[in-house]
Amino acid sequence: GAEAGGQISEVNLLKEKIAKLSKRSSQSLVEAIMAFAKTAEAKDFYNAGHLERTAQYAVKIAQKIKFSQNDLELIKQAAMLHDLGKIGISARILQKKAKLNRKEFEEVKRHPQIGAEIISPIPSLQPVVPAVLYHHERWDGKGYPCRIKKQHIPLTARIIAVADVYEALVSERVYRKAYSPSRAAEIINGGSGAQFDPAIVNAFLKVLKQEK
């Protein structure tokens, strides 16, 4: 309908802007994309600060498993951009208080692909594309969009999956109260080997222990 048309045109406008901006320096282009990511975050209006906090946790996990300085910058960018594709999803769906119906959930599930499509033409963001595309894959292969499993999921995506879910659990949502950090850690631990890479969960639990 008109609503879906509006979302599509928003994505197309963004792609056109990127094409124009790509004539500029790579740095200003990346900064512009980060600003668009904030727009997507604002649509998910209860989510203010979610990207920064997810990025902080992702970087701490990456440090635990000995990422290089260069790769830490990559994981930070990936975490900041992981939900960029929500710019192409209706705000009505993102802000719905009740449980999503199947059609609405299918719509939300498009956001990793939309985000990957938006950033893939930008050479300096090429290394970030896999993390954006696969951050909703599951260790057991039951995630989306590609249903890949275990080590087939890029390491950056496996890290962001844990950081993203934990950050969402400890945040207030329109449809539920925030979980306590200890309860959220239990939920993450409960997903080890099913939703999440067990090695990443272990690294993350060590990060949380150090924060206490």
Side-chain angles (χ1 to χ4, degrees):
E3 188 177 43
Q7 302 313 315
I8 292 161
S9 65
E10 201 168 345
V11 172
N12 287 338
L13 273 172
L14 183 46
K15 286 180 180 171
E16 279 169 32
K17 272 184 187 162
I18 289 165
K20 283 191 193 123
L21 282 166
S22 61
K23 295 178 181 67
R24 287 202 214 166
S25 79
S26 165
Q27 186 56 35
S28 62
L29 183 54
V30 170
E31 282 165 12
I33 301 297
M34 291 293 175
F36 291 129
K38 294 278 187 183
T39 308
E41 183 180 56
K43 256 183 133 169
D44 227 341
F45 68 102
Y46 49 76
N47 242 346
H50 170 69
L51 295 176
E52 266 103 352
R53 291 189 297 269
T54 301
Q56 283 163 6
Y57 284 123
V59 167
K60 283 176 181 173
I61 295 168
Q63 283 169 326
K64 267 276 171 272
I65 58 174
K66 306 284 189 279
F67 265 42
S68 70
Q69 201 53 47
N70 214 17
D71 289 341
L72 288 177
E73 190 50 40
L74 179 92
I75 194 90
K76 187 178 173 188
Q77 281 186 336
M80 291 299 291
L81 295 172
H82 76 277
D83 273 347
L84 176 66
K86 283 188 175 170
I87 215 160
I89 310 297
S90 154
R92 181 188 59 79
I93 293 174
L94 293 175
Q95 296 168 11
K96 190 177 172 184
K97 287 182 178 157
K99 197 173 189 300
L100 297 182
N101 64 37
R102 186 152 174 238
K103 191 166 173 248
E104 289 165 335
F105 187 51
E106 287 305 317
E107 174 76 8
V108 169
K109 279 164 74 174
R110 290 174 51 240
H111 79 269
Q113 279 156 305
I114 296 169
E117 273 173 34
I118 290 168
I119 63 171
S120 60
I122 302 157
S124 64
L125 289 177
Q126 286 289 308
V128 173
V129 173
V132 172
L133 183 57
Y134 299 124
H135 73 276
H136 279 291
E137 299 294 348
R138 288 173 51 109
W139 186 248
D140 60 12
K142 293 177 185 168
Y144 63 88
C146 299
R147 297 182 75 86
I148 53 176
K149 62 162 85 170
K150 297 191 174 175
Q151 276 82 6
H152 294 289
I153 306 165
L155 183 57
T156 49
R158 283 181 261 150
I159 291 172
I160 287 167
V162 171
D164 184 30
V165 173
Y166 177 81
E167 209 298 304
L169 288 170
V170 296
S171 302
E172 191 103 351
R173 286 290 186 256
V174 278
Y175 48 85
R176 63 153 173 82
K177 292 258 182 270
Y179 287 94
S180 71
S182 59
R183 180 68 191 116
E186 280 171 17
I187 294 169
I188 296 287
N189 199 25
S192 178
Q195 186 169 357
F196 307 117
D197 175 345
I200 302 299
V201 171
N202 284 343
F204 182 57
L205 294 175
K206 284 177 190 163
V207 166
L208 291 181
K209 269 205 181 85
Q210 282 177 334
E211 285 192 343
K212 281 185 176 173

